[in-house]
């Protein structure tokens, strides 16, 4: 592992949505903490100059968390801007000039994957790739074969140690904590298996629609946008075995092993939906059948999880914005009467406010020996160093730390699971904005107590 500190940051797609919503705010925080080393060079083809670019950075941080009196001036002072075409070697010569004496630039590709190969080759030809690293955004490819081909394109110039496939879910403290909580508490691990867990549900619900990203979203849909990456990462964290040592690869191996044991998903296992009004979104193709909702079940054929269904549900324009994992534990037999006590569960709320809760059964007040459900909730966070996901991941990439990035075999294994479905999707049902998606989605969980809806 090469832990040399990167001494410049070049980002392609610098005038885009991701830079605006996530990357500038994270960089401002890195700048404040003194972790933004060297120039920050934005590259795009927007006909802009440096002043316009700086104004965009300022606007971005003001709208996303607020301008910081220490961080913002540092960030603005570090900014450089190159306006040019990715096909034109002159664009990369300018980047080279701005790099100055930097020897280990980090190149961030916030651009559509079809441009990766072109940019990578130009980075090499211009000398910008020398001693450098590259960060690539998700989705990495659109199926297994294209992910493999993309890796081959990037491999020509950067080796795997220097390629960082970003998935910002892995930068969330609540997602990392799932692994920590499981293995740091002796009370959970003994029951975290098929003998005790009846089913697992993961819901990533978003109250908003596609927020002006219609052109991007219509090219991917819910499965490629969040299931293949964010939600399978969550599955890996729930289901993995404890790593044998603290080595970075040991952890990544365990997460990879989970995906290897997941059965492929096909159209019988899935309900897809599209919210009414999606077709009117700017950038969406007329008559598009792209899904904005997906509910599916998958099985992990490991010793620990065989026959336990994992239900995944995600959608835009649902009733709330929240991501939760609920593991339902097997029902106990009736205790004192014929009334079966409510089923226990463990709930990880990953966002917006992280929480861990355990659902238990206590005796109802009164003269009957009957159970009612109570929830033991832990909402407090310890530590004061809460980092934004992109902030943590950018800092990690600049230090060469791969722990929370996806390895090439992991990404391909994730596509393997979904490829049959993506090649042959079921019919897409429409649903009302503000509802929990198509009614048919309820059929998936009907034998397992129904969906557990976050509130
Ligand atoms: C992105 C998806 O990767 O993750 C978006 O492209 C989605 O469609 C977003 O809204 C959700 O991330 P978070 O961190 O807000 O839950």
């Amino acid at each position: 592992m090469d832990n040399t500190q990167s001494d410049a940051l070049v980002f392609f797609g610098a005038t885009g949505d991701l830079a605006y919503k996530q990357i500038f705010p994270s960089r401002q925080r890195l700048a404040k903490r003194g972790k933004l080393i060297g120039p920050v060079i934005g590259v795009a083809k927007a006909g802009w100059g440096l002043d316009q670019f700086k104004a965009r950075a300022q606007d971005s941080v003001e709208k996303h968390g607020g301008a910081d009196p220490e961080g913002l001036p540092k960030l603005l002072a570090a900014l450089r801007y190159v306006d040019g075409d990715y096909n034109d070697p002159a664009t990369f010569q300018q980047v080279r000039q701005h790099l100055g004496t930097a020897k280990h630039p980090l190149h961030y590709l916030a651009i559509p994957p079809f441009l990766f190969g072109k940019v990578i080759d130009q980075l090499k030809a211009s000398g910008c790739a020398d001693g450098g690293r590259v960060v690539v955004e998700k989705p990495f490819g659109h199926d297994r074969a294209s992910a493999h081909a993309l890796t081959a394109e990037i491999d020509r110039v950067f080796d795997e140690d220097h390629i960082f496939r970003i998935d910002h879910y892995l930068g969330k403290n609540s997602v990392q904590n799932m692994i920590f909580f499981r293995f740091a508490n002796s009370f959970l691990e003994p029951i975290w298996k098929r003998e005790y867990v009846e089913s697992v549900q993961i819901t990533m619900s978003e109250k908003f629609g596609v927020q002006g990203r219609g052109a991007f979203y219509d090219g991917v849909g819910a499965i490629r946008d969040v299931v293949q990456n964010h939600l399978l990462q969550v599955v890996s964290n729930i289901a993995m075995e404890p790593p044998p040592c603290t080595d970075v690869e040991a952890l990544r191996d365990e997460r990879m092993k989970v995906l290897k044991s997941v059965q492929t998903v096909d159209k019988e296992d899935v309900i897809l939906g599209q919210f009414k009004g999606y077709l009117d979104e700017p950038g969406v193709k007329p008559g598009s059948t792209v899904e904005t909702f997906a509910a599916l079940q998958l099985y992990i054929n490991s010793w620990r999880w065989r026959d336990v269904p994992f239900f995944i549900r995600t959608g835009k324009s649902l009733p709330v914005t929240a991501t939760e994992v609920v593991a339902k534990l097997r029902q106990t037999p009736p205790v004192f009467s014929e009334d079966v006590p409510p089923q226990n569960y463990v709930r990880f709320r990953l966002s917006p406010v992280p929480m861990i809760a355990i659902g238990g059964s206590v005796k109802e007040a009164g003269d009957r020996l009957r159970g009612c459900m109570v929830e033991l909730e832990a909402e407090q966070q310890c530590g004061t160093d809460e980092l934004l996901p992109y902030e943590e991941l950018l800092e990690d990439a600049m230090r060469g730390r791969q722990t929370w990035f996806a390895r090439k075999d992991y990404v391909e294994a994730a596509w393997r699971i979904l490829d049959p479905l993506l090649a042959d999707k079921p019919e897409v049902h429409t649903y009302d904005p503000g509802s929990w998606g198509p009614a048919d989605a309820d059929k998936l969980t009907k034998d397992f107590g129904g969906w557990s809806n976050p509130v």
Side-chain angles (χ1 to χ4, degrees), residues 18 22 137-139 167-169 172 204 206 208-209 211 213 216-217 220 225-226 229-230 316 321 323 351 389-390:
L18 186 74
Q22 304 278 9
E137 262 299 332
K138 52 123 288 230
D167 178 327
H168 79 279
Y169 253 56
K172 288 183 190 254
M204 176 186 180
E206 294 181 318
F208 48 86
Q211 296 186 307
R213 298 161 71 223
F216 161 78
Y217 197 86
V220 289
D225 187 37
V226 299
N229 32 77
H230 303 333
K316 302 277 186 197
T321 297
T323 300
S351 66
Y390 273 95

Side-chain angles (χ1 to χ4, degrees), residues 323-361:
T323 300
E324 269 192 12
V325 176
V326 176
K328 295 193 180 184
L329 305 185
R330 293 195 187 279
Q331 191 76 48
T332 58
V335 200
F336 300 108
S337 66
E338 284 315 300
D339 286 332
V340 176
Q343 196 171 5
N344 292 162
Y345 59 81
V346 179
R347 184 161 70 90
F348 288 92
R349 190 171 175 104
L350 304 179
S351 66
V353 181
M355 178 200 282
I356 296 176
I358 294 177
S361 188

